[in-house]
Structures are given as structure tokens and as C-alpha cells.
Amino acid sequence: MCDVFKPKLFTLLSRSGFSKKQITADVLSGIVVGVVALPLAIAFAVAAGLSPEKGLVTAIIAGFVIAALGGSRVQIGGPTGAFIIIIAEIVEEHGVEGLMISTVLAGGILILFGVLRLGALLKYFPHPLVVGFTSGIALVIFSTEVKDALGLTMDTVPSDFITKWEAYIRHLHTADAVTIGLTLVTILVTIYFKKISTRIPGSFVGILLVTSLVQVFHLPVTTIETFFGDISGGFHIVFPQVELQGISQYFLPALTIALLGGIESLLSAVVADGMIGGNHRSNTELIAQGVANIVTPFFGGIPATGAIARTATNVKNGGRTPIAGIVHALTLLLIMLFFGRWAKLIPMSCLAGILIVVSYNMSEWHSFKSILKGSPFDIIILLTTFSLTVLVDLTVAIEVGIVLSSLLFMKRMTDLSSNLTAEVDQDVLEDYSSLPAGISIYEISGPFFFASAKEYCEIIRSIGMKSQILIIRMRHVPFIDSTGLRNFREVLTGLRGFRVQVVLSGVSPTVLNDLRSGDIVNLIGEDVIFNSFEQSMQYAQERLEKQPAA
């Protein structure tokens, strides 16, 4: 466990500690990020249909745990926009207790991912898949905020995307001009305040300004208090009622939370590495995310992960150690304890304006357009994931996206194998046109796995049947999976029955271990497996010379 769980904070403390200058920079950055996180934490919880303090508690507890135990120097953890939709769906189907159970299970899954060293694997999810569901989430978030942004008078808002927009259109005549004006003011301040100051977040200024306008002029608009009443200013330990016989219904939502949280946190850590020239520990980061998601629900929190925008803000403001993330959590704690009761005065239109900006930033429309100009395979993954996220749900989108990405990857690898086979065969004819009669050469280029194994073995059988000795070059084979081993063993056994001698060259240590585990070394003999092509060619010629005499 200790070799996969090495928190950056502990490493920095054991090596050289922290300079006074860096501590000062981290504390100041943490305060700024705490202020940035305040409106977002409230907005994300409210958008998911939960009370504001749940977002604050999550930012505090999870933010502290992720900073203290994480594998990144600068990661800022907390609730994020990506979770809004999945949280709302879980609460609608299973209630708040179901969300707690799902989040705790997700934490356990994330810890398991880290222990099994799957951190590197999650980082390599196809880019079109990530952009597809991220853009889909952005569109869904935007659609959930239309009612509050326009001040529409509606008893209920349908959950289905198309039905929701049909309801909006039917109730468009109830839009309120004052509410629309406050939404626009919030959006403009959030976007353009950075031209005045980059230290103070525009979303925070927008909340102060719009809330003040509403209170001073007694504007008749909906506020947080209208929906949720008073906001709790403290922590409460909560234990869900768990029935073991029904716990299986929470595994699918938990897996969705774990995958989404793992992907987003590692993407955030990768972005941060590029900004500071660092190198995060992906498995440690997953374990820290898991611990945060196990602990936070018991204090009334919701799913948490690494937040890309807040992490980037931390780096830009001078944060370089986990102290900044810890200070960010403590800043939010002080705000909640001493000023949390005033949050109930925030207009819902103000939060809608902030989330509209968040959804625009999440949309990644530049990447979306770029992918649409690329490979047909990438376009299929992008549009399928995007459509399912918007029209069905995020869980289905992730499941289908992963399966579709795998199938298309296999198709591309098969096509690549076919192209390489044709090229190698031609090269062999040109380079070895003076080969002695009876010796043939075939080169395998690429992974010898289930998508390419059948084709490779058919070619090996075809060439081998025309030879006395067949040299198979494997210098470009990174691995052989179980399907490849089985097919390879079958074709070698068949050639052996026809007295064809098979010689292997360029076998890497990893592939050699695969061949041993697949009983292929015992089948052909270790003496016909060579590191270089020259050695295998010399052996084949000597063997061929001896055959007539025999």
C-alpha cells in the first residue's frame, strides 16, 4: 500500500519543509481560491436540488482531505459542475440517503482503483469521449438554469431534456424582466470583472452586487431562502439507513461517480503539472479522492473531485504546495461559520447566471469543433457520448462511450495491422530476395491481441506451409494477450505437425514472459528464440544446411 500511497504533503515535509516565502504565497493563494470556491460550491449544490450548505461542507471537508492526502502539489478539491446532473438523478431515484450511500461506495471504488494502480489507465480515456460527455453536461446544466435565469413561473421542471425545453417554451410568457436583468448583470460581472482585478473572482463580486441590489431596492425575486429557508452554519454527523439486501442498486451510480471523479481529478492534476512543471502521483490522487468521498457524506456533503478551474486559479495566484488547498478549506469554513447565514439572501437568478458562465466554460466548444474536423472514429465517439449525455443520462453515456471507444480502437488496430502486414511483406521480398530456398520471414508489427491475432495467425500459417523454416520477427510486439497466445499456440502446433521449424527473433523480455505463461516456449523450445534477427538467420541457415545430410 505504501508504494502507491505517497501524499505530496508528507513528501515535501520530509524532504525540505517549506520556506517562509512559499508559505506566505500559499496562504494568500488559498484565501483567494476559497473566495472563488464560495459561490461555486453554493451554486453546484442548489443546481442539483440540494441545500447550499451541502456544497460548502463538501468544499471544506473534501477540499481539506484532497489537499492533505493527494498526489498533486496544487490540486483543489470540492464539488464540481460535472456532478450536478448525476447527483440530481440519484436524488430523484434514491433520495438523499441513496446519494450518501452511492458516494461512499464511489469512494471505495476510487481507493480500489488507486491500489490496483489504475491511475495511468484513467488518464488515457479517449479525448473525444471526455469532450463528448463534458460538453453534454454543460448543455444540460445550462438547460436546468433557464427557469431561474428567466424567472419563469412553473410548478415543476421536467427532467427529460426535450420535454424540459418544450415546457420552457410554453411558459415563456411568464418571464420576469427584473430577474432577466439580474441574471445578465451577474453574467457580465462574472466575465468582465477580471479586467479590473484578477485577484478577486467576478462570480464573488457578482453575488455581492446582485444580492445588495435586491435587498436595497426590495426587488421581488426568488432567493435561496424562498426554496431552502435558513442555512445551517455548522456541521452535523449523518448516518444513512443501509439495508444490505438493497445495496446492489447503488453500485451503478457509485461507479459513475467514481469514473467521473477519477477522470476529472486526474485531468485537473495533468493540467496543473503542465502549469508548474510538476509530476503528480495518479494512484495516490485516486486514493485521496476515495477517502474524501467516503468521509464527506457523513457530514452532509456530496461527491467531490479535483476542480480544474480552482486548481488553475491556485497556480496562477502562487500556490505551489498542498498548504494552499488546506487554507482554501479553512477559509470556506470561517466564511460558513460567520457569514453563512447571509447566503440565504442570494437570488436564484444570480446563481443561474454563475452556472451559465460555468456551463459555457465547460462546453469546450473549441475542442468540439476541432474533433468534428478529424477522424470519423473520433467523431462517432464524440457525437454518441454527447447525445447520450443530453438525451439519456450520464451513466449510459459513459458506459456506451467506453465500450464504443474500445470497439473502434480494435477496428483501428486491425486496420493498422493489415496495412503493416502488406508493407512488411513487400519489404521482406525486397530485402531478402536472395534468401535460401526453404527459409521464409514474417514480421509482426504491433500488439498481438484479440483484435489482430486471427489475421496474424492466418498469415503465419499461409507462409509457414510453404517453408521448411519460418523466422517470425517480433521486435515490434509490445505484448501478447490470452487470445493471441491461444491462437499462436494453435498455429505453431499445426506447423509443427507439418515439420515446419519456427524460429522467433527480437523477442522482448515482456513478450518472452508472455510466451512462457502461454506454454509456447515449451512447445517450440527456448533454443529457437533469439534476441536479434542476425542470430535467428544464422541458426536457420545452419539448420537448413544440415537437413539434406539428415
Side-chain angles (χ1 to χ4, degrees):
M1 179 70 174
C2 61
D3 59 336
V4 296
F5 184 60
K6 298 178 181 178
K8 283 284 187 176
L9 177 62
F10 299 169
T11 301
L12 292 171
L13 286 172
S14 64
R15 287 182 180 173
S16 58
F18 306 97
S19 67
K20 184 177 180 181
K21 181 179 179 182
Q22 186 57 59
I23 290 176
T24 302
D26 286 326
V27 169
L28 293 175
S29 179
I31 293 172
V32 171
V33 177
V35 174
V36 171
L38 175 66
L40 297 176
I42 293 173
F44 293 148
V46 171
L50 301 171
S51 55
E53 69 267 16
K54 290 189 177 296
L56 289 174
V57 167
T58 305
I60 294 167
I61 302 295
F64 183 91
V65 172
I66 290 170
L69 303 181
S72 169
R73 296 168 64 104
V74 294
Q75 182 85 283
I76 302 296
T80 66
F83 281 130
I84 291 175
I85 309 308
I86 188 63
I87 290 173
E89 291 175 352
I90 294 173
V91 171
E92 183 179 358
E93 184 174 351
H94 302 290
V96 175
E97 283 199 345
L99 175 64
M100 290 181 63
I101 297 169
S102 299
T103 305
V104 172
L105 289 175
I109 294 172
L110 282 166
I111 292 176
L112 184 62
F113 283 170
V115 172
L116 295 177
R117 304 174 187 271
L118 298 181
L121 180 63
L122 288 180
K123 286 191 295 185
Y124 296 111
F125 268 60
H127 183 58
L129 173 66
V130 176
V131 172
F133 69 67
T134 302
S135 299
I137 290 170
L139 180 56
V140 175
I141 291 174
F142 172 75
S143 71
T144 62
E145 298 307 309
V146 172
K147 173 183 177 292
D148 292 329
L150 301 181
L152 302 180
T153 303
M154 301 172 63
D155 293 332
T156 58
V157 178
S159 58
D160 179 73
F161 181 80
I162 295 177
T163 308
K164 182 182 298 181
W165 278 96
E166 290 175 346
Y168 287 154
I169 293 171
R170 287 198 307 269
H171 292 82
L172 199 57
H173 65 280
T174 67
D176 178 62
V178 175
T179 301
I180 295 173
L182 293 176
T183 302
L184 291 175
V185 169
T186 304
I187 292 173
L188 293 174
V189 172
T190 300
I191 294 174
Y192 293 108
F193 188 79
K194 61 186 177 184
K195 294 184 179 294
I196 299 175
S197 172
T198 55
R199 288 276 182 178
I200 304 174
S203 57
F204 181 73
V205 176
I207 280 183
L208 293 179
L209 176 61
V210 172
T211 303
S212 299
L213 288 173
V214 170
Q215 294 304 310
V216 170
F217 295 100
H218 304 288
L219 300 177
V221 295
T222 305
T223 65
I224 289 177
E225 186 177 21
T226 307
F227 276 86
F228 303 103
D230 289 332
I231 297 177
S232 172
F235 293 94
H236 303 283
I237 304 296
V238 182
F239 293 96
Q241 298 294 323
V242 182
E243 296 182 1
L244 294 180
Q245 63 268 27
I247 201 167
S248 60
Q249 64 184 314
Y250 302 113
F251 279 116
L252 190 56
L255 182 60
T256 303
I257 293 172
L259 287 174
L260 190 59
I263 293 168
E264 188 168 5
S265 65
L266 295 182
L267 285 175
S268 177
V270 169
V271 171
D273 285 347
M275 297 178 72
I276 66 173
N279 186 23
H280 77 280
R281 296 164 182 164
S282 57
N283 295 311
T284 298
E285 186 64 26
L286 288 177
I287 294 173
Q289 300 286 341
V291 173
N293 280 286
I294 289 176
V295 173
T296 304
F298 292 105
F299 291 90
I302 58 179
T305 185
I308 296 175
R310 275 160 275 170
T311 300
T313 301
N314 180 32
V315 173
K316 291 176 182 177
N317 281 278
R320 289 297 181 274
T321 76
I323 289 177
I326 293 172
V327 171
H328 135 269
L330 295 177
T331 300
L332 285 169
L333 174 62
L334 294 174
I335 292 174
M336 188 180 80
L337 292 177
F338 295 103
F339 303 100
R341 63 184 182 276
W342 301 109
K344 66 182 180 181
L345 302 177
I346 299 173
M348 295 296 288
S349 58
C350 182
L351 295 180
I354 291 172
L355 286 171
I356 287 172
V357 176
V358 169
S359 64
Y360 175 81
N361 293 333
M362 281 183 65
S363 66
E364 299 194 47
W365 63 274
H366 290 292
S367 297
F368 200 100
K369 285 177 59 179
S370 176
I371 294 171
L372 288 176
K373 299 176 183 177
S375 160
F377 296 103
D378 292 340
I379 294 172
I380 292 171
I381 294 172
L382 174 72
L383 295 181
T384 300
T385 310
F386 175 79
S387 301
L388 289 174
T389 300
V390 173
L391 301 176
V392 185
D393 66 52
L394 184 59
T395 303
V396 174
I398 291 178
E399 293 170 345
V400 174
I402 292 173
V403 172
L404 183 60
S405 298
S406 302
L407 292 174
L408 292 177
F409 168 75
M410 287 185 277
K411 175 67 169 60
R412 296 173 82 169
M413 289 301 299
T414 303
D415 293 344
L416 177 63
S417 300
S418 300
N419 293 335
L420 288 173
T421 298
E423 294 170 5
V424 169
D425 285 346
Q426 184 60 38
D427 291 341
V428 167
L429 290 176
E430 294 175 357
D431 295 341
Y432 305 113
S433 55
S434 58
L435 279 175
I439 297 179
S440 297
I441 300 171
Y442 175 65
E443 181 165 1
I444 301 174
S445 297
F448 200 152
F449 72 132
F450 58 94
S452 58
K454 183 177 180 181
E455 184 171 358
Y456 281 145
C457 289
E458 286 178 353
I459 296 173
I460 289 171
R461 181 180 291 106
S462 176
I463 296 176
M465 293 296 289
K466 304 172 185 177
S467 317
Q468 293 175 269
I469 299 175
L470 172 62
I471 300 175
I472 302 176
R473 304 190 68 177
M474 305 183 72
R475 54 181 176 164
H476 296 308
V477 179
F479 68 87
I480 306 181
D481 72 356
S482 58
T483 304
L485 288 171
R486 185 191 63 195
N487 290 5
F488 197 28
R489 185 168 56 248
E490 288 177 356
V491 74
L492 292 178
T493 301
L495 292 176
R496 184 180 182 182
F498 285 94
R499 301 183 182 277
V500 177
Q501 175 70 61
V502 175
V503 179
L504 307 182
S505 77
V507 181
S508 70
T510 301
V511 173
L512 184 58
N513 288 332
D514 292 336
L515 296 178
R516 286 197 177 102
S517 67
D519 206 32
I520 289 176
V521 172
N522 289 335
L523 177 64
I524 64 174
E526 194 151 355
D527 59 321
V528 296
I529 301 176
F530 299 94
N531 293 326
S532 69
F533 174 71
E534 289 74 17
Q535 292 174 323
S536 61
M537 192 66 189
Q538 181 180 353
Y539 172 86
Q541 289 175 330
E542 291 175 355
R543 180 66 182 263
L544 191 64
E545 290 172 359
K546 293 177 181 178
Q547 281 186 356

